[in-house]
Every structure is written in structure tokens, then in C-alpha cells.
Amino acid sequence: MAKRLPKKDVVIIGLGWTGSIMANELTDEGLEVMAIERGPWRDSPTDFPPTYMQDELRYRIRHELFARPEQMTFTFRNKMDQTALPIRSWGAFMPPNGVGGGGVHWNGEMWRFLPSDFVLKTHLTQRYGASFLPEDMTIQDWGVTYDELEPFYDRFEYTCGTSGTAGNLRGQIMEGGNPFEGPRGRPYPTLAQPQPFSHTLFAKAARELGYKPFPQPSGNLSTAYTNPLGMKMGPCTYCGFCEWFGCANYSKASPQTTILPHLIRKDNFSARANSEVLRIEVDRTGKRATGVVFVDASGEEWEQPADLVILSAFSIFNVQLLLHSKIGKPYDPVANVGTVGRNYSHQTISSVNGFFDPKKYNFNPFIGSGSIGMCVDEFNGDNFDHGPHGFVGGGYIGQVQTGARPIESTLVPPGTPSWGAEWKQTVKHYYLSTVKPGTGVHGGFYSYRDIYLDLDPTYKDRFGRPLMRITMDLKPNEVKQNKFLTDKFAEIIKAMGAEKVAPTYRTAPYDMTTYQTTHINGGAVMGTDPNTSVVNRYLQSWDVSNLFVLGASAFPQNPGYNPTLTVGALAYWAADAIRTKYLQSPGRLIDG
Amino acid sequence: MTDKYSRLSVHRRAVLAGAAYLIFRGSRANATTILDHLPWTPNAGNPPDPVTLGPWVYFTPDEGRTVEALADQIIPPDRETPGGKDAGSAVYIDRQLAGPYGRQEGLYIRPPFMKGMKNQGHQSEKGPAQEYREFLAAFDKASKSRFGGKPFFELLTEDQHRFLKDIEAEKVKLDDVDGKAFFAQVVKDVQMGFFADPLYGGNRDMVAWKMIGFPGARYNYLDWVGRHNEKFPLPPVGLTGRAEWNTRAQR
């Protein structure tokens, strides 16, 4: 029997980006807020000190900052007629753990989605006709438009101090920025980061091929910055240990550097770390949440009653908690009914490595930041005519190399032995003269009827709850998209002057063992129709009106960009709806 | 208090500012509320613990010799840079197998264990430590049966090389072990130890970093971002410093 704690106005599940944003907004409203976080408290001086953070083995290879699969994992299969097996060690993505969530160990890429991404189904149907889309594709409009979200994109960019070059200022296309972006109300808060050698060489080659390269918008700051909450950040020092690592330098935007020190001082905010929420409790009508039940590190269960429940864990954990709490109708792909677990997606990532003559090119590739890079956006979303190509969607391509940590960055050209004297000589020959963009081809992943999440019939977690089952494969549309983008990318790498160009394509079947990105999305998607979405346009549950579900679980499909800026903007958008609409009259904000 | 609170039927309580408050008698730290200040103390942290040299921790003496011989085949010594053995790759693997990695600590190891597709990942109750032991036993047996009772580490280097090529090409099969797949794992581990920070036992004296030109665990390249196509002049540094700075890195 769970012990009952004093009631709060708001309980927040998960203290990462979205939980921190929402907690700060709702405490500003005077509400009493309690955040419950599964993992430990983490802070820059204690957990990411510059004396030992640059440890590739500990943080990258052994996953120190991530969730442990023994705490929580998933099962995986490609197709519905296969048996899903547990992900025993992380591979394709790395779920976060602890205060700050993925905001601790992300790279800091801060992309806005395209205006057409938010009305994708309508847009593609109008331009190409419904028959152009694959029959099993289940893309849909988001229920929120770019113009509605723009002020909230701006809020999050200014919270983070984002470094970048505007490409579209109030409708005017700006030289040096991304000409394809939607109009922005004002420039980025800080200037774009200066670029290392290979990144500038990429931009030059791209420009000569007729593209319009621009610096990747970055949450690693080019300069000192004080955000609207008074949080101070320092300039990035290009240490080359960013993704997988915490930033010891207060240079990477994270909840720790931009929100939490402000939030924690408010007397109406409190938090609990090392406490995992087991379920959201609902009353007898099933339409109202009464609070949450969580278990602390000693195994003791507690009930935290609250009037408003914010589910702001990592995307896939949100879906899992909804299923475990029996909120909403689980998705059934056969009958094509239900919503929870529907429209799960990822990214379609590949890259092209370039090997250059060491006599002419020394890139010092270890100099980098998480979101450094020069990119081109000509082939993202619907920025180009897909008619002749037979697929939809796209992605950005760019030299976005984040450093050259030696375990993973000692590459040899194809055809070289993988060990022995020749391998050793070749590694030595090329290390300083290799371009290794990592996620250089950053493609979208659209949604499909038989790619989804549900509860596994066999495997259980440490509390005896069923693991969630991921049914996920790569469809011909995304394979074609990736081939097209990777070939375009390889042309630019070649034009940079590489003597050897090594593309790798993303192909079916989907592989759970090789890392792509941690951008896993959907499963509790937003929309305008309760039959095809879990939450309405304000991220409010259709079923339980005092429950809001934040995060990338709301994405109906995944565009060809990194998700975090949109995740943060949606959190500010939902917070605004709560502050200006819900609190005036608690209940459904939209009739469904 | 404004009207919207009463509509939310809020029960507001006084908050004890400045201190974490305990709600239940006997509550421990894990039932503590974080309130008012960031919960960290100066100089707290979790620094790494460098391995100490000395006898094998996990391997038997013969296993150790075998892995050292494998390390020198995978990364042969040359005039400028030591091989895998002298760089400490076998020590690195030994200490890794003796630690949490060898036991699959933190991984999901609940049953049932079923054979899956390659893209579903490792599905075995056995951790790397046990798998190494089984591989090395089968590998030793295969070497002895082919080379008149000689273990791998006593073979001529040309014979060692040819034997590994044959395992890679699946011309030599090992009993109950996928020799080709496991050798690929050994290659990965030897190279990982070679390039990891020296505190883990490999990359001794940062020989691998010197070989490729990686400056190590530095923290600030601000002055170097804009200096294109210039050689970075400073030698590498590890998390425990450089040999000439302290005695720890020399061990």
C-alpha cells in the first residue's frame, strides 16, 4: 500500500527539458509543483567536471549517463509475425536517465521544423495527390501550425542562447542562413559558432555545387550569454566531448545551465530524485487523474496526489506509462483502432566518410562541438520536387563532425584489413585527414500502420510490469530517401577533395544494434481527431483532461531534423495553454 | 491567492524553506525532497579509478599470454609504436572482464534467452568474461590440434597470423564457439584498449595517441578553431596527466 504524501497542485513526471520548462512556467503561476525523477540529481560541477569528463570509454562506450537496461528496456522485432526479444544493451538509441534527461548528454542541435512539416498530410496530398503516398503510410497533420509555434520556438531559443545565423527574418531571406526555414521574429540570440577547417571546406564545396550552406543552429554557445532567467553561460571551448557527455563548461544548453538553478530557488517548487513513477492514478470515472504512485530507491511506494499531472518523461517512457496506467485506448494495427502506441518513428541516418591526402589536409578533427557544422537544407522535407523521385520526405546533410574521439574515429578506407600492420599504418596515415560527419545525412522517418508500440507478452521489468514492445522496420520510402540523400552528400564530400569517399547507406531491416540517434518519437501523438491522436493540439490527453503529455511522443511522424527545439517549443506552447486557458476553466480545452 | 487556485481545489501548505523536510519517521535520503537549493556539495564527484599494474585479475597465466599474443597480431609493434602487448591492451581486457563490463552489470539479463536475429543484439546469459573464457579454451584447443600440441602464444608470428586469417575465413572452426565472430570482438577490444585513456591499462604512455596525433583529454581549443590546416603543437595528455607530471601515469 503506497503511503500518501501531501497533495500538490501539479505533479511532474520526469525532470528533463520539458519537465523543467513546465515546472518553471507553472511555478510562475503560483502553483505548488512537485517533480519526480527516476534517475539521480546531476549537476555540472559534481557530475561533469573537466578533470574527467573527456573519457570516451566510460561515457560513450559504457554509457555511464544513460538509463540502465536493467532498470528499463524494451523488446524489439521488425515485423508483427516475429518474436520480439529484449534490448539487453543499448544500440540504435540511448534513453536518458536522471535530472536534465537527454538535455545533459545531447549535442545541442537546435533546428526548427519547416512550416510544411506541421501540415504534412495536407501539404503532400495537395502537391502530389493522395496516391503518391505509400498505402500503409499513416502521416497526419499536427494540429498546430508553424506560425502558432513560432513565438515558442523563439522562447526556447532565447532560454538556450542558441548560436546561429537567421535565414528568414520576418519573411526576408538572409544571406548566410538557411533560406528554407520558416520566418522567424528575430535573429538568434548569439552569433553562429566559428567553424573548424573541414566544416568550412564542406561549405565551400557545397557553395560551388550551387547549394546554400549555413551553420547548424547550436546549443553550444559561441559567446558568453545571460538568458531571460538570469542564467549565465560561457563560450564553448570545442573540447570534442559533447554528445554522450555532460558539459563541464556551462556552454551547452541543458536544464542544468538554463533553468534549474532558477527554478530550485522558488519556494513553490520541489523535486524528488531516484524515484520512479509506476503509474498515473485515475478516479472511478477514468476521466480524471488523481496523482501518481512512485517507488523510491529503497523500494518503498508513495502516492503523490495532485490536481494536474504533467507526463514529461522521455518519449517512449511516456507511452509506456500511459499503457501501464491504462489511460487511452491501446493501438491495434490489425483492426486499425486505438491510439496509444500508434505512429512510432525514428530518424533515417547515414553518413559518408572522406579520406584526404595527409600531405595537403590536416583537419585537427578532435576540435569540435556537439552542434558544430555546416549544412545544406535543399533536400529536406518538401524543399524539392519529389515527383520524379518516387518517395516523400528528406533531411539535411552536412559536415557536422563533433570531434574525433579515438576509439570511434580511427577509420580506414574500405578494403583495408581490419587488423594487423596494414591497418595500423593506415590508421596512423589518415587520422588527422579524415572527414567523419557522423550523422551527416539526417533524414526523416514517416509513420506506418505496422510500426508501433505495445506491451510485450513475455518479458517483464524489475517491477513485474510488461516491457514495451517495439515493432519497427525500414520501409522502401525511407530507403529510397536515404539513397538519394547519401549520394548527394557523397558528391559534396568528393568535391571537397577527398581521395577516397566511403558512403554507407541505411538499409532494411531496421537494426537495433547500431546507433542512429536518440530521436525516437510518436506513440502518444498530437492531433485534431481523438481517433488518431492521444493528445489534442495543446498536448492535453483526450481521455483525462487534467493530464498533459509532453515530448517527442507527440510527433505524428518525424521530419528530417533533430527534435529537441520543437520538443521545447511544444512544452512552452502547452504551458501557455495551461496558463491562459486551462487554469481559467479546468477541463477539456477542445471538444473531441 | 487568486481565484484560479480555488477552482483547482488546491490545498496549499506552508513550505519549510531552506531545508529538505522529512515526511515520515525513519525516512531515508531517498525519501527526501529536494527544495530551495541545488543538492550538491563542493568537491563531490565520481572520478575514475586507474587500474594498477600487476598480475592478471581475471585471466589465467596462459589466457593472459594468449591474449597478449593476439594483441600483438592485431596491433603489431613497429619501429615507432609499440604493439598491442606492450601498449597494455591485454591488461585493459583483463581489467574490463574482471569489472562490471565482464559481468554484464546494468544490462537486462532476465530470461527467457532465445536465439534471435543479429539485429536484435546479444541474447545470452553469459557475459563477456565467461564468453572470453570459453573462446580462449576453444582457441587453445584448435591451435594445439593444428600445431602439434603448441599453444597459440608459442607459435611463430607467421603461423599466428595465418591461423587468425583462417579463423576469419572460417577455414578453422572452434568447438562450440563462433570463432570468426568472437575474433572480431577481440579485434574490437584490443583496439579499444589501445585508444582508450591510459588509466584503463592500455595505450600505455599514450603511445596510440602519439601515433595518430590525438592531443588527449584537453578542454580548450578556442584559439585553434580558426587556425585551419596547421599542425596542433602540443603532446597528448591523459586524465591522470602525463608521465613527466606525476608518477601515477608512469605505473
Side-chain angles (χ1 to χ4, degrees), chain B:
Chain B
M1 198 181 292
T2 64
D3 281 345
K4 63 187 145 199
Y5 302 138
S6 51
R7 268 186 266 123
L8 268 170
S9 65
V10 171
H11 306 284
R12 297 179 71 78
R13 280 171 184 77
V15 172
L16 301 177
Y21 67 100
L22 301 177
I23 294 153
F24 288 93
R25 204 164 37 132
S27 287
R28 279 153 290 187
N30 43 43
T32 301
T33 305
I34 295 160
L35 190 70
D36 183 62
H37 60 279
L38 296 171
W40 60 271
T41 45
N43 305 317
N46 185 15
D49 195 12
V51 310
T52 44
L53 297 187
W56 301 114
V57 178
Y58 179 73
F59 291 141
T60 65
D62 276 3
E63 285 173 342
R65 275 182 216 118
T66 305
V67 176
E68 286 185 333
L70 280 161
D72 259 2
Q73 281 298 322
I74 291 163
I75 308 176
D78 58 45
R79 258 183 288 172
E80 285 156 1
T81 309
K85 177 187 167 184
D86 285 346
S89 282
V91 176
Y92 160 81
I93 294 173
D94 177 70
R95 303 306 195 266
Q96 288 291 309
L97 296 181
Y101 169 73
R103 301 187 292 270
Q104 305 202 76
E105 216 170 274
L107 303 189
Y108 184 83
I109 43 174
R110 289 170 194 273
F113 291 91
M114 292 187 259
K115 194 168 162 47
M117 301 174 296
K118 195 165 172 279
N119 67 352
Q120 290 176 307
H122 188 255
Q123 298 288 334
S124 169
E125 203 168 4
K126 297 174 194 167
Q130 196 182 338
E131 288 179 338
Y132 255 88
R133 178 135 291 151
E134 291 175 13
F135 164 77
L136 289 171
F139 183 75
D140 185 58
K141 195 175 160 199
S143 169
K144 284 173 175 164
S145 91
R146 175 155 160 190
F147 297 100
K150 276 196 180 177
F152 180 76
F153 56 82
E154 284 180 7
L155 303 181
L156 293 173
T157 180
E158 302 78 49
D159 287 339
Q160 288 179 341
H161 186 80
R162 208 169 309 120
F163 186 58
L164 294 177
K165 285 282 180 199
D166 285 350
I167 285 178
E168 240 187 351
E170 295 180 292
K171 287 184 202 157
V172 171
K173 298 268 190 189
L174 305 187
D175 289 354
D176 303 322
V177 174
D178 182 344
K180 181 186 176 183
F182 204 87
F183 177 62
Q185 182 65 43
V186 178
V187 169
K188 206 171 145 188
D189 290 340
V190 165
Q191 293 173 350
M192 197 178 279
F194 191 61
F195 290 121
D197 192 278
L199 72 90
Y200 294 103
N203 190 17
R204 203 166 289 163
D205 198 25
M206 294 173 280
V207 289
W209 294 354
K210 287 175 188 163
M211 177 182 99
I212 59 176
F214 175 63
R218 295 187 176 277
Y219 214 77
N220 194 340
Y221 297 116
L222 204 45
D223 294 341
W224 276 84
V225 180
R227 292 176 71 167
H228 293 171
N229 217 6
E230 273 184 65
K231 190 170 166 49
F232 185 78
L234 300 178
V237 59
L239 291 173
T240 49
R242 264 209 303 276
E244 56 267 39
W245 294 359
N246 56 36
T247 52
R248 199 185 208 186
Q250 276 173 327
R251 286 209 297 265

Side-chain angles (χ1 to χ4, degrees), chain A residues 210-394:
Chain A
Y211 301 118
K212 296 197 161 55
F214 56 90
Q216 176 165 237
S218 172
N220 319 132
L221 302 202
S222 60
T223 182
Y225 177 71
T226 304
N227 83 2
L229 300 179
M231 302 291 102
K232 292 180 191 302
M233 299 173 69
C236 172
T237 56
Y238 308 89
C239 75
F241 291 83
C242 196
E243 189 179 26
W244 325 103
F245 307 86
C247 180
N249 214 38
Y250 296 85
S251 305
K252 172 160 72 174
S254 69
Q256 277 84 349
T257 52
T258 63
I259 297 173
L260 291 174
H262 172 78
L263 176 63
I264 198 79
R265 289 193 187 101
K266 296 178 173 178
D267 66 6
N268 53 345
F269 175 75
S270 52
R272 284 167 184 278
N274 295 313
S275 296
E276 177 160 353
V277 173
L278 296 174
R279 61 187 175 276
I280 299 162
E281 298 276 43
V282 290
D283 70 7
R284 261 171 293 172
T285 66
K287 292 184 188 319
R288 186 170 173 77
T290 57
V292 303
V293 170
F294 68 93
V295 57
D296 69 19
S298 71
E300 208 158 354
E301 280 191 24
W302 307 81
E303 185 187 346
Q304 176 61 67
D307 287 313
L308 181 60
V309 176
I310 305 295
L311 178 48
S312 53
F314 183 59
S315 63
I316 194 166
F317 298 134
N318 284 347
V319 183
Q320 189 165 28
L321 207 56
L322 289 173
L323 289 171
H324 284 153
S325 306
K326 299 185 168 36
I327 293 173
K329 194 173 163 63
Y331 174 59
D332 174 352
V334 178
N336 204 13
V337 294
T339 54
V340 183
R342 183 173 170 274
N343 279 24
Y344 176 69
S345 65
H346 196 175
Q347 301 283 172
T348 310
I349 301 291
S350 68
S351 197
V352 177
N353 297 323
F355 298 88
F356 291 70
D357 180 354
K359 287 199 266 322
K360 293 188 208 150
Y361 300 93
N362 177 348
F363 294 126
N364 289 329
F366 42 84
I367 299 174
S369 80
S371 37
I372 199 84
M374 293 299 288
C375 302
V376 301
D377 216 20
E378 269 79 355
F379 303 113
N380 212 329
D382 202 37
N383 291 346
F384 61 108
D385 181 7
H386 288 73
H389 303 300
F391 66 87
V392 289

Side-chain angles (χ1 to χ4, degrees), chain A residues 431-503:
Chain A
Y431 172 76
L432 293 173
S433 308
T434 301
V435 165
K436 176 183 178 273
T439 53
V441 173
H442 195 281
F445 193 117
Y446 287 172
S447 44
Y448 294 90
R449 181 164 168 175
D450 59 352
I451 292 181
Y452 68 104
L453 304 169
D454 66 352
L455 293 178
D456 190 87
T458 307
Y459 291 95
K460 304 274 195 289
D461 71 10
R462 64 201 167 109
F463 303 115
R465 301 176 300 177
L467 298 186
M468 200 158 53
R469 176 169 64 181
I470 299 171
T471 304
M472 166 60 109
D473 209 349
L474 216 62
K475 299 283 185 169
N477 183 74
E478 274 62 37
V479 172
K480 275 188 225 168
Q481 176 222 94
N482 181 263
K483 172 86 170 68
F484 178 82
L485 290 173
T486 307
D487 287 342
K488 294 287 183 198
F489 190 44
E491 283 171 18
I492 309 176
I493 301 285
K494 189 162 183 5
M496 287 170 72
E499 57 187 23
K500 288 172 184 159
V501 177

